[in-house]
Amino acid sequence: MRKQVDIEQTMAIIDKIKKDLYHREDLVIRPITVNDQTVYFIYLTNTVELKSEDLQVFFIRLLVEKKRAKETGLLQACLQLGPSEKQQTPHDYLNTILNHQLLVVYDEAVRVNIGKNFHRAIGEVKTQEVVRGPREAFTESVVVNQAMLRERLKNKQLMFQSLTLGTETGTDVKVVYLAGVCKKEHLDDVLKRLKEAQIAAVLESHYLETLLETKVKTVFPTVYNTERPDVIAAGLLEGRIAVIVDGTPFVLLVPCLLFDFIQSSEDYYQRSDIASAIRMLRVLSLFIALLTPAVFIALTLFHQEVIPTALLVSLAAQREGIPFPALLEVLLMEITFELLREAGVRLPSAVGSAVSIVGALVLGQAAVEAGIVSNAMVIIVSITAISNFVFPSYDLAISIRLLRFVFILLASLFGLVGITLGLVLLVHHLTTLDSIGVSYLTGIAPYDETAHADLWVRKRLDKRQHLFTIRHVFKRDKVRKGV
């Protein structure tokens, strides 16, 4: 028979849970009694799976363990249901229930991890598609994402450090690194920023992205995010640190450089000469997307002598009858393209692409026929929009879209001098950025010969000193102790 003190302790736990969760209509407190032994199973409706045969084995084990060793009886019996651990405080009781796990109460409380999986299955990558390479993408489950990384990196040095962030949401967060490869100061900086953060809710990885940014007053992303496990695995091998957040398929990676947003994982899945040519094309597209409208305005307004005579006559003929100045003309077209782009993203996939493409063609042709814009302006804006789609990273594409309007304004005021001034200020701004203590332009400023060679072209894997893109940036010392 159970002692009176054990029964009182059990009822105290039950009363505490009822008091704290009195408003939860889906709270289930299920008492089961066998041979005068009453055990309480507490969980939320449709969140755990309790099978009758498992309960029978559980009670048999409980009775055996109670006779053998009373202080460990409940925990040993719960192991028959699933991975279990003791819960010591009322806060632990609530977390167990609210995290969709089973709480078993006898004369103590034990958490049993048999919660149902409410997350979607592993699917294909949506935001960073490649022609050749892995197709699988992270999911919204931190447990699944953790397993996917372990599958790719069967390394005893792969470490996961668990955190619970968000005072209201209690979100599970995993800090991932390779011990002995990542620099200890980088790891300490990341952990310090996350642990000291006073944040009420963490609903997506961007909530933590702002905590990891060293300089927030910039349009450039200084924290890399991706839903590709192969990219995170490669980053960990370079000595970087990943942050997995429960509830989102996008995993953060720090430190990161500017060229990370231009390079693609597919660069290392095909021949080096082809990958290098495509990488140079991306660099060229960056300047086209950033400067083409601004250069066109500067040349037509301030530097007509630079334009060949035949082209200048053609441009003048096209602009005859256009009621708006060149600045207003390009702004009108750019804003229209931005509206079409956003409409294509928000609409259902079945009609989104059709609306954006047909809308651009119809509006462009109608605007020219109505005499609102010139043919040359439509071509310029179209080339600019197409170049913006070349970037593998959506975050960098947004930054370039914003900066493009700044250069358009400078070009309309000061011509090529304004564009040059803007480029000088832009380079100065980039040199002041860093990501967890690593310069944003590493390889160029500060200059590193090994890094510089791999930024513009992709060397053959058998000819490279390092395995991955910027391994030298986070390279280990000759003698390095594990983190």
Side-chain angles (χ1 to χ4, degrees), residues 61-76:
R61 187 67 176 175
L62 176 62
L63 295 175
V64 172
E65 291 296 334
K66 277 299 179 179
K67 292 180 179 179
R68 183 182 301 172
K70 182 175 181 179
E71 64 278 3
T72 59
L74 182 61
L75 179 59
Q76 293 296 326

Side-chain angles (χ1 to χ4, degrees), residues 208-221:
L208 301 184
E209 187 174 332
T210 57
L211 302 177
L212 298 175
E213 292 176 342
T214 305
K215 189 173 184 179
V216 295
K217 293 184 178 180
T218 179
V219 297
F220 289 94

